[in-house]
Amino acid sequence: MKKYVIGLDYGSDSVRAVMIDAQNGAELASEVFWYPRWKAQKFCKPAINQFRQHPLDHIEGLEHTISSVMEQSGVSPETVKGICIDTTGSSPMPVTKDGTALACVKGFEENPNAMMVLWKDHTAVKEANEINELARNWGGVDYTMFEGGIYSSEWFWAKILHVAREDKEVIDAAHTWMEHCDFITYLLADEKDLKAFKRSRCAAGHKAMWHESWGGLPDKEFLSKLDPYLASLRDDLYEETFTSNEIAGHLNEEWADKLGLTTNTVIAVGTFDAHAGAVGAKVDHHALVRVMGTSTCDIMVSSNEAVGDRTVKGICGQVDGSVIPGMVGLEAGQSAFGDVLAWFKSVLQWPIDNLVLNSKVLSEVQKEELKAEVESKFIRALAEQAEGIPLSESVPVALDWVNGRRTPDANQELKSAISGISLGTKAPHIFKSLVNAICFGAKMIVDRFEEEGVKIETVIGIGGVARKSPFIMQTLANVLNMPIKVAESDQAPALGAAIYAAVASGIYENVIEASKVMGSDFEAEYFPQSSQVEVYAKLLEEYKQLGSFVEEQTNKNK
């Protein structure tokens, strides 16, 4: 009998499902669902870095995508052996005692504080600073030591603390909080005891200061010094965590009926998208996997023996089993990557959106045609002209911190800057400076890993940017001065989730074995161009100088 598995990948803008043949990794069907409330930018206030998502976007997407791949593939429900969910993170949400998302409870449907606090929400900068101050000075364990030594406003405890101080009604109504990957897994599984439910090791270790050396989550004494609510919440969270090769439960009857599946289908423990993506891209020793989308997550694996007792400073955590069980997963990343270019596009497109498309001269059909043409050609035309600018021609120097800095040394209070603009500076020059900036940000991450003794021999790119922009990928190879492979799969995180599902359902013995068979091949490889490597090295120094100046001024103004 054929055996199939489903990977469900929740991104910032959409969720996609893939149906995978577990015997060879072939993709039988895929489906994408764009979040309607998020697309309308409901519950978001970019001016204050508030980005919330309604769980109904995710629940509706779950039903639509899996039902669709079942219909497209035509496979028998009995042959679908497992499902695994990966999501963005840290993206926690409050839930009631029966596991219902609070935003789905009457009276909270329109309250942003009752919704999922998306990874890119930076409303908790003040709270993150308090956590860091306490961790360094309270006299006990530094609970940030395995998370790079700096706790981020993008993460679990800071976000909950911010909501607790802002909205007592939400806190009083919430029984506990769940990461997005845990919530969707819980929704599907037949295990409904919240306390016993298997939470993600990946989410807890990288974002919630969970570590087995101190018995799990930070102790109540530490949390109470931040806020009594956090100490009381700890009792309603979890002690143990689990890797995604393990079974969280089986598909419950309600969702088996909705999706056209059976209750024999295994539901694996949830995980984060980048970590699943690394598995989908066949991550191995000394390889850095860059999941390149709106932001980046950079993932590596290492043996416990190689890491030893060493803690890598300024990254987003080192967690045993967060990528491959039995190995230490190391995470870093940039808070904005594709978002840097999307921001510039939105700035340039303002006259089109507000003047041309509001014109009474053009018909509605003409407006739609113009909008579609601009959408399809905008970035491509900029990239083509930017690529044609010789390195000898002056371009501005820019920073990639439009959404703060994640790694190295998280600081979400930092802002971007551009210097060196003249009357000769045109849109392609600025675009090129922004491409340089996101590549220089990547170089800073690679340098930090190597400074800390973590060797990198090759880079693997996955995601839309990696597959669609040769200009960015060649620039990145030149800046890093190392080859970059690009994974063939459009859906590497979903594929990685499917690999976890195959192991949890017993089709393969372990994740490494499964990824060798099911993981993505590579479609392209970019090599450094020796004539440009030295030039980019000099430009990198200008990036560092501008960054040092901006960071110094930011610290002075605190």
Side-chain angles (χ1 to χ4, degrees):
M1 182 187 291
K2 279 281 192 179
K3 296 178 181 179
Y4 304 102
V5 285
I6 294 173
L8 196 65
D9 170 44
Y10 282 89
S12 298
D13 303 318
S14 61
V15 55
R16 72 269 324 143
V18 293
M19 175 76 74
I20 302 293
D21 185 330
Q23 268 99 344
N24 55 24
E27 181 183 301
L28 276 70
S30 67
E31 181 69 9
V32 177
F33 177 88
W34 299 89
Y35 311 137
R37 297 163 190 82
W38 171 255
K39 191 173 183 180
Q41 284 297 281
K42 296 188 75 174
F43 319 117
C44 296
K45 296 179 181 177
I48 61 168
N49 292 309
Q50 176 182 299
F51 297 97
R52 310 292 167 86
Q53 289 190 338
H54 201 295
L56 284 178
D57 274 352
H58 308 131
I59 295 169
E60 291 165 5
L62 164 66
E63 184 170 359
H64 173 83
T65 54
I66 293 185
S67 297
S68 179
V69 296
M70 286 297 296
E71 184 178 349
Q72 289 176 47
S73 64
V75 304
S76 170
E78 293 77 17
T79 62
V80 179
K81 299 302 180 182
I83 298 173
C84 182
I85 289 93
D86 74 71
T87 71
T88 65
S90 177
S91 298
M93 68 177 80
V95 300
T96 64
K97 199 165 189 176
D98 65 357
T100 301
L102 189 59
C104 296
V105 174
K106 187 175 180 181
F108 293 95
E109 303 97 329
E110 300 293 316
N111 185 340
N113 291 322
M115 296 173 192
M116 191 186 85
V117 187
L118 187 65
W119 65 267
K120 67 193 287 184
D121 186 293
H122 290 166
T123 52
V125 168
K126 176 177 176 289
E127 288 77 12
N129 289 340
E130 289 180 41
I131 291 170
N132 286 314
E133 182 70 19
L134 180 63
R136 295 182 190 115
N137 298 302
W138 81 297
V141 173
D142 180 354
Y143 291 111
T144 71
M145 72 168 71
F146 291 104
E147 296 188 317
I150 302 174
Y151 201 75
S152 170
S153 64
E154 293 184 349
W155 299 347
F156 187 80
W157 292 108
K159 289 177 170 177
I160 295 171
L161 181 56
H162 178 76
V163 173
R165 290 174 173 172
E166 191 171 76
D167 200 325
K168 188 175 186 301
E169 189 179 5
V170 164
I171 295 307
D172 288 343
H175 171 68
T176 189
W177 288 69
M178 299 184 84
E179 278 286 356
H180 188 198
C181 64
D182 290 327
F183 173 76
I184 299 295
T185 303
Y186 177 83
L187 196 67
L188 291 179
D190 56 359
E191 174 54 73
K192 293 304 178 187
D193 181 346
L194 271 177
K195 191 67 177 175
F197 183 73
K198 292 180 179 178
R199 307 285 189 116
S200 166
R201 168 77 57 83
C202 179
H206 284 287
K207 312 301 180 186
M209 297 188 283
W210 184 95
H211 198 270
E212 57 189 354
S213 67
W214 49 70
L217 295 168
D219 71 26
K220 293 178 72 170
E221 182 185 355
F222 174 83
L223 295 172
S224 66
K225 290 179 182 295
L226 293 165
D227 194 287
Y229 173 70
L230 297 188
S232 64
L233 174 63
R234 192 191 188 285
D235 292 332
D236 294 313
L237 287 169
Y238 50 88
E239 296 296 333
E240 293 185 78
T241 62
F242 300 85
T243 52
S244 292
N245 61 321
E246 299 190 63
I247 298 173
H250 288 77
L251 187 61
N252 60 55
E253 288 185 10
E254 177 188 359
W255 279 94
D257 290 342
K258 286 181 179 180
L259 302 175
L261 289 165
T262 77
T263 56
N264 291 324
T265 301
V266 164
I267 306 298
V269 172
T271 189
F272 282 162
D273 49 4
H275 304 72
V279 169
K282 300 180 182 176
V283 66
D284 205 347
H285 289 85
H286 310 306
L288 176 71
V289 178
R290 307 206 78 221
V291 185
M292 301 159 73
T294 55
S295 66
T296 74
C297 273
D298 296 1
I299 304 295
M300 297 190 70
V301 294
S302 181
S303 67
N304 281 282
E305 293 75 22
V307 174
D309 296 330
R310 190 158 33 91
T311 55
V312 181
K313 295 180 179 66
I315 64 169
C316 303
Q318 53 193 80
V319 180
D320 188 9
S322 65
V323 183
I324 295 175
M327 300 183 76
V328 176
L330 302 155
E331 178 191 346
Q334 291 167 266
S335 291
F337 194 79
D339 265 355
V340 175
L341 307 181
W343 162 79
F344 186 52
K345 177 189 171 188
S346 71
V347 171
L348 294 184
Q349 201 167 310
W350 188 93
I352 298 171
D353 293 339
N354 291 274
L355 298 175
V356 178
L357 296 180
N358 285 331
S359 168
K360 295 180 181 179
V361 177
L362 299 175
S363 68
E364 291 304 315
V365 172
Q366 288 173 318
K367 289 178 185 179
E368 286 302 315
E369 289 176 348
L370 176 61
K371 187 177 179 180
E373 185 174 4
V374 168
E375 189 65 34
S376 65
K377 295 180 178 179
F378 206 116
I379 293 293
R380 190 192 322 152
L382 272 174
E384 286 173 358
Q385 291 203 27
E387 190 172 9
I389 299 171
L391 283 179
S392 58
E393 188 171 327
S394 177
V395 298
V397 179
L399 300 175
D400 52 313
W401 301 339
V402 296
N403 199 25
R405 184 180 65 208
R406 181 181 295 157
T407 315
D409 305 320
N411 187 343
Q412 304 306 340
E413 294 178 278
L414 294 174
K415 306 294 182 187
S416 182
I418 303 176
S419 71
I421 293 173
S422 72
L423 288 175
T425 303
K426 309 298 182 187
H429 293 86
I430 297 175
F431 184 83
K432 185 163 190 169
S433 76
L434 295 174
V435 170
N436 290 348
I438 59 178
C439 294
F440 292 149
K443 172 65 171 170
M444 299 297 286
I445 292 170
V446 169
D447 287 353
R448 174 57 60 89
F449 271 126
E450 295 194 328
E451 287 162 8
E452 294 287 314
V454 180
K455 187 179 181 182
I456 298 173
E457 294 178 348
T458 188
V459 177
I460 299 170
I462 65 176
V465 175
R467 298 199 70 209
K468 295 175 185 176
S469 182
F471 171 48
I472 292 175
M473 297 309 293
Q474 185 60 61
T475 303
L476 186 60
N478 291 334
V479 169
L480 298 183
N481 193 20
M482 60 177 63
I484 304 173
K485 297 177 184 176
V486 177
E488 183 178 64
S489 175
D490 261 336
Q491 313 288 3
L495 177 59
I499 290 170
Y500 285 130
V503 179
S505 55
I507 299 171
Y508 291 94
E509 188 174 333
N510 58 63
V511 173
I512 293 176
E513 179 188 339
S515 68
K516 286 178 180 176
V517 177
M518 297 174 63
S520 175
D521 290 328
F522 302 103
E523 66 177 10
E525 188 166 8
Y526 296 86
F527 296 92
Q529 298 165 319
S530 56
S531 62
Q532 299 198 25
V533 168
E534 188 175 337
V535 179
Y536 277 112
K538 291 177 181 176
L539 293 174
L540 174 64
E541 293 307 310
E542 295 179 8
Y543 169 91
K544 289 180 180 179
Q545 288 171 14
L546 179 60
S548 296
F549 173 76
V550 169
E551 189 159 11
E552 183 181 327
Q553 295 305 308
T554 301
N555 291 334
K556 281 182 181 178
N557 294 330
K558 277 187 179 180

